[in-house]
Each structure stands twice: as C-alpha cells, then as structure tokens.
Amino acid sequence: QLQLVESGGGLVQPGGSLRLSCAASGFTLDYYAIGWFRQAPGKEREGVSCISKSGIITNYADSVKGRFTISRENARNTVYLQMNSLKPEDTAVYYCAASAYTSNCRPTSYAYWGQGTQVTVSS
C-alpha cells in the first residue's frame, strides 16, 4: 500500500522555523517527483515547492522563495521542507504528494497524497 506521511508541523512564532518531513512507505521515492502543497481555510490548495526525482530540479512559489528549501534523501525514503522566516500567511495544512511523471507544482499532476500536517504561525 502506497503511503505518504507528513510530520513536523506545529505552532511557531513569526520569524521562526520548522522542518517538515514526508516519509514514504510501500514504494520507493526514487521514482517519483515530490511536491509540497498547502491549503489555508477558504482557499484553494496551492503548490509550495516541488522537487524532481533526481533532486536536481526544484520549484518554489514566489511567496516562499528565499525562505523555504526542499530537499530529498532517497536513502531514507524521505523528502524535507525547511521553512525559515515564517509569516502568519504561511499558516495552512501542508501536504506532500508524489508524481511519477512531472515535477511541476500543479496539484492535479500528483496522484498520491499524505494526510497533511498543520502549520500555524502566530504570536
């Protein structure tokens, strides 16, 4: 059974940092591009950052460029999202997802999804 599990979310003050992890079970992440997406209440799900199978190609939403870094550790079957200088507008449920075909950041391109982890940025 293919499964993605996110962890690392929580409550953090503005300017703080969190590192999200996306662990895979039931399949090998080497063969998949991985994306991080987020959805805030009342808003559509949006792509935050995506990484190719090799890890060479990365994409970031303009709103997180320079603050977030995506990386993958295939030996651990895990992808990370390092989030620095967090802002209240980063508050959302964050999801990771896997695609066998593309590393773009369009949610419709990803077939396998985790359950999400809540990130709340507030003082």
Side-chain angles (χ1 to χ4, degrees), residues 9-51:
L11 173 64
V12 63
Q13 292 186 342
S17 298
L18 286 173
R19 188 176 79 156
L20 304 184
S21 298
C22 173
S25 62
F27 67 108
T28 302
L29 276 184
D30 300 43
Y31 302 111
Y32 294 84
I34 302 297
W36 283 99
F37 302 84
R38 67 186 180 188
Q39 188 165 19
K43 295 188 176 182
E44 291 187 356
R45 190 169 297 187
E46 63 172 347
V48 175
S49 182
C50 300
I51 188 166

Side-chain angles (χ1 to χ4, degrees), residues 82-99:
Q82 178 67 43
M83 305 187 297
N84 299 327
S85 303
L86 282 161
K87 304 175 181 180
E89 51 264 42
D90 294 318
T91 295
V93 178
Y94 283 70
Y95 301 88
C96 67
S99 171

